[in-house]
Amino acid sequence: MLICWCGCSPSPPVQGGDSPLQRSPFVRGKSNCLFPCSAMGAAAIDLLYWRNVKQSGAVFSSVLLLLFSLTQFSVVSVGAYLALAALSATISFRIYKSVLQAVQKTDEGHPFKGYLEMEIALSQDQISKYADKILLYTNTCMKELRRLFLVQDLVDSLKFAVLMWLLTYVGALFNGLTLLILAVVSMFTLPVVYEKHQAQIDQYVGLIRTHVNSVVGKIQAKIPGAKRKEE
């Protein structure tokens, strides 16, 4: 059974048994998703795995175009240009349909009537549910940061310090938008690469994990108080 990318609920089974997609780390996730998204998760998986090339290409190119625009213009300018483009399209279409109805002497009504009547408001239950999820994740992050900064576990705090040290070099090389662009490119490429070359990637990841665990074990043995307490 294929697990939704957020892990909140399973989507329909995939034909062909235990496929690479089912075993992919890009698909599995923890439960208690922020958004209940069996359909949303399936749609996201289809996008990231390029099941529909035209749809994935359109989303990928649109997001990249937006991010590259933000590297050249301010957020205000990009937002204003997008709003002007959308208004130009909708106003032109509205005038075109009005003229067409006048010429053909028909009364089809407002061309966007279906969208105007569509319910888009969030219910109180949905807002409460999302607020509870956000509060849960916020509290979890705060507790984890407290644990790391107050050195509840020396090894975990050292790992966190090394990560922050590496991020100083990342920040010196890239700005936030560049990292976001790289993240989007990775999201649309890594799942497909993993699906096609899963065996080789799993083998190399296993070797790296074994080596890292060996190094961490040696460090734990040499640093006083670094050994984890046996449960």
Side-chain angles (χ1 to χ4, degrees):
M1 180 177 291
L2 175 62
I3 299 177
C4 174
W5 73 321
C6 59
C8 58
S9 62
S11 56
V14 177
Q15 298 297 328
D18 191 16
S19 68
L21 176 59
Q22 290 173 283
R23 300 187 299 268
S24 171
F26 300 101
V27 177
R28 292 188 178 91
K30 295 183 178 180
S31 58
N32 298 326
C33 169
L34 178 60
F35 301 103
C37 53
S38 56
M40 187 191 304
I45 290 173
D46 289 341
L47 281 176
L48 297 181
Y49 281 87
W50 296 77
R51 300 297 182 233
N52 186 324
V53 177
K54 291 183 179 179
Q55 191 177 31
S56 296
V59 173
F60 182 49
S61 58
S62 299
V63 173
L64 278 186
L65 180 61
L66 175 62
L67 293 176
F68 279 121
S69 299
L70 290 173
T71 62
Q72 302 298 322
F73 306 100
S74 68
V75 176
V76 175
S77 297
V78 173
Y81 282 126
L82 288 175
L84 284 173
L87 281 171
S88 299
T90 53
I91 291 173
S92 299
F93 185 72
R94 176 77 166 87
I95 294 173
Y96 166 74
K97 293 296 289 185
S98 297
V99 172
L100 191 63
Q101 291 177 29
V103 171
Q104 296 179 347
K105 296 181 179 180
T106 58
D107 187 16
E108 298 178 1
H110 198 289
F112 300 117
K113 182 179 180 181
Y115 296 102
L116 290 172
E117 294 176 349
M118 186 182 297
E119 181 62 38
I120 60 173
L122 289 174
S123 67
Q124 189 64 39
D125 291 339
Q126 289 175 315
I127 294 175
S128 299
K129 185 193 305 182
Y130 298 152
D132 290 342
K133 292 290 185 181
I134 293 172
L135 182 62
L136 173 64
Y137 295 143
T138 301
N139 290 336
T140 302
C141 289
M142 290 174 62
K143 290 179 181 177
E144 183 66 16
L145 289 174
R146 180 185 64 181
R147 187 181 72 85
L148 292 171
F149 279 106
L150 298 183
V151 200
Q152 180 177 343
D153 186 288
L154 181 58
V155 174
D156 286 345
S157 295
L158 288 174
K159 289 179 182 178
F160 185 66
V162 171
L163 176 62
M164 294 299 103
W165 177 68
L166 293 174
L167 287 179
T168 61
Y169 288 94
V170 174
L173 295 173
F174 308 102
N175 59 30
L177 273 176
T178 304
L179 290 175
L180 193 55
I181 291 171
L182 292 175
V184 170
V185 173
S186 299
M187 286 172 59
F188 279 87
T189 55
L190 292 182
V192 178
V193 172
Y194 179 82
E195 186 180 23
K196 292 182 178 179
H197 307 283
Q198 185 205 357
Q200 298 92 321
I201 294 174
D202 284 348
Q203 181 181 0
Y204 288 121
V205 169
L207 292 174
I208 294 172
R209 185 178 299 165
T210 302
H211 182 69
V212 170
N213 290 338
S214 175
V215 172
V216 170
K218 292 178 181 178
I219 293 175
Q220 287 178 329
K222 292 182 179 180
I223 299 178
K227 275 191 174 183
R228 296 179 184 273
K229 294 181 180 179
E230 294 185 3
E231 306 208 2

